[in-house]
Amino acid sequence: MKKDLISMEDLTVDEIKDYLRLAHSVEDLPADERYRLLQGKIMAAMFFEPSTRTRLSFESAMHRLGGGVIGFAEKSATSVSKGESFTDTIYTVENYCDIMVIRHPGEGTARLAARVSSIPVINAGDGSNQHPTQTLLDLFTIEKDLGKISGIKVAFVGDLKYSRTVHSLIRALMKFDVTEFILVAPESLRLPKYFMMTDEPNKYHFYETNHLEEAISKCDILYMTRIQRERFPDLLEYEKVKDSYLLTAAMLEEARPHLRVLHPLPRVNEIAYDVDKTKYAGYFPQARNGVIMREAILLKHLGVKI
Amino acid sequence: MVIKNARWLTAEGYFEEGHIEIQEGRIVKFGSSSSYGGNDSILNARGCLILPGMIDPHVHFREPGQRYKEGVCNGSKAALKGGVTSIIDMPNNKPPVTTKKRLEKKRIRFAKKSLVNWGIMYHASNGKKEAIEDLSKSVKIYMAKSSAMAPITGEDELKELFEFYSRVSVHAEDESEFLQDGKNRLPHHERRPRKAVISALQKIENALRKLPEEKRPRVVICHINTAEEADWLFRMKNEGFDVWGETCPHYLFFTQEDYLKEGAIFQVNPPIRTKNDRQKLLKALSEGIVDFIGTDHAPHTPEEKQSSNPPSGIAGIEWVLPQMLHLIDEGIINWKQLHQLTCRSAANCYDIEGRDGIKEGNWADLVFVKRLDEPQPNQTVITKTGFNIYDRFEFRWNVELTLVNGIVKFEKGKFPNESPGKAI
């Protein structure tokens, strides 16, 4: 039976560990061996909304495995813009390829595609809903950098109310027995309360603070996100907080030696360039890990063993 | 008209700024400069946030037959105060709206009296099929008795109605599972037990599965009150069924403990259930499983509620937006979800044209809200229950002004223009 990747919620801890193991093995393979694994296979990258990084990362992964890539980078390049239905697009494109990678602004569209398609579907982000490959690459990065996931302490900074990446990663970390989270967010962008409404309220601890520097000295991973003016109901609040969410190299003096700063990218204002040169900067290697994890995902869903 | 110093909510949950130009009731342009015509009347929105007017797809304004409990005019005023600009009224009237003729008469009544935009529903009867889709927003199927009509509890009867109508809204409590009172009066939620809900869902699902896909209607599960309904909805949506879920504020703010403590003022159908149900419903809201909020505004007089055999129903429409904004303050939902729950989803579900948010071309159904530094003091109650069961919460938001089709209909507690709204 074909296997889709739609949501982290569909995966058990063991299944997630499988992806991580596979990614480590992919990384250990010599390039010429890797290049033979998906020869003759075609991936369709169907991007109904632009997402250059995610698309290039998937295309790079497929090329590294020797496979071919077709696709489009935005909706206006498709027959959908001529009025073709979404499902018709799926019924057509599934004849052209072996696996589909779909990015779409509509929530739930990835699952719809998976239901009607006869070949595996990988969700590369559907609206504010799910983006599982991002979460898997984040977990892979954390495991590579720290050597483990369970028991670590993670600080999330910025827009914790809307960030799909943050929500999905917190849920996954909870499954891996990460129990302590530090949340640094302005009043209007705090993490939704239902994260604290777990069945095991005594197991998980969420510390909320407005002070970035306080979090830095206490965590193993510092996960940064962007805050946007348009998210604030009260502009006065935005003006008050906007500068206090900028990470600079000087602020990292008190950091634990193994701390890694991660960011889903693109960064705009939240990490100063002087952080790039420090040993803590983990966000560009994170992008490299994204390709490796996506190689692992393509292999797994095309049923190729290594 | 031009609204200046505006800051408004978009469907994506962002806030945009500038001015809003309104002509003939519709939003024609947004602008960031102050270059609008000198002849326009100007409304200053400084200090307020502008939200899309709420669509409340579930109210009981009690006309015809029980105007002493509320009435269309009074109910629509309560709606305006709560930030509601469009409503859909339920058909369990006296007499129930079971015929085309009664639909037509009820439409005339609403066209004259309702200050907000309005739609009405048709009351399904066992085995009866009538083409009413031009006159009614949906067909309401009561699986528990709610008027003089018998409940519809058979799977085959459901299937027959599902096959004929394209959009049905269901009161999903299976009356055949209700318990009879013995000597001791049972608490409301025991008399109408959870298994009545579960049985209703099962029958709805069976009826849907018996129909080929193209003959299945859109099904709205009204006033979701249990964790089981949220799970069912999630599962059915994932399977591709065209099912929608509505829940009501009283299931999000109260539990059956409140009913046990305070009695009939918390007696409502379906009953308010456990703390766990409440938690699961809040979670379902935050995860986007529940589609929209309906108030199920169902007023009764204080005398009726205090009687030995009190009727079921809670009236809350006049506080509904402050209630929902409170859920944002509490971190349960975000602004994008607020937009969906109070406006966009109901507009999509019931095909309501031009009222799915603040955008060019849409009707200017707008609500100015303000965050207060102090909780708002007790205000006069408009609805004829005369009572606010939410007064124990410290809601920090107030509806300052409500525009319907570009007309200011509510401002600081007053109703400056009582012209009727439009049919939706």
Side-chain angles (χ1 to χ4, degrees), chain A residues 150-183:
Chain A
S150 76
I152 63 167
K153 216 176 203 186
V154 185
F156 288 93
V157 183
D159 181 353
L160 310 189
K161 196 181 196 89
Y162 293 94
S163 170
R164 169 181 66 186
T165 306
V166 169
H167 295 176
S168 180
L169 184 55
I170 290 180
R171 286 207 186 88
L173 290 170
M174 287 166 85
K175 286 188 190 168
F176 275 81
D177 287 332
V178 172
T179 58
E180 291 190 73
F181 298 91
I182 305 171
L183 309 172

Side-chain angles (χ1 to χ4, degrees), chain B residues 352-369:
Chain B
I352 298 168
E353 185 272 327
R355 305 193 191 276
D356 64 344
I358 303 177
K359 51 191 194 192
E360 271 177 29
N362 268 4
W363 290 100
D365 292 347
L366 305 172
V367 184
F368 293 20
V369 297

Side-chain angles (χ1 to χ4, degrees), chain B residues 258-270:
Chain B
D258 294 295
Y259 161 78
L260 290 170
K261 233 186 299 173
E262 301 188 42
I265 56 165
F266 287 102
Q267 183 186 317
V268 62
N269 297 333

Side-chain angles (χ1 to χ4, degrees), chain A residues 107 111 115 127-129 161-162 171 187-188 191-194 197 199 228-235, chain B residues 7 12-15 17 49 237-240 279 282-283 286-287 328 330-336 340:
Chain A
E107 282 156 37
R111 203 174 289 283
R115 206 166 46 233
S128 58
N129 197 24
K161 196 181 196 89
Y162 293 94
R171 286 207 186 88
E187 183 64 29
S188 289
L191 188 74
K193 229 182 206 163
Y194 58 87
M197 295 182 193
D199 296 333
Q228 297 164 275
R229 175 189 160 98
E230 297 79 16
R231 285 294 190 199
F232 287 80
D234 183 357
L235 272 185
Chain B
R7 190 168 160 79
E12 288 73 39
Y14 291 100
F15 295 96
E17 297 158 271
L49 268 183
K237 283 183 177 192
N238 273 337
E239 276 193 51
Q279 292 278 68
L282 291 172
K283 194 153 183 276
S286 61
E287 288 172 351
I328 293 183
E330 290 286 296
I332 306 291
I333 58 170
N334 61 37
W335 290 94
K336 181 177 175 182
Q340 247 158 35

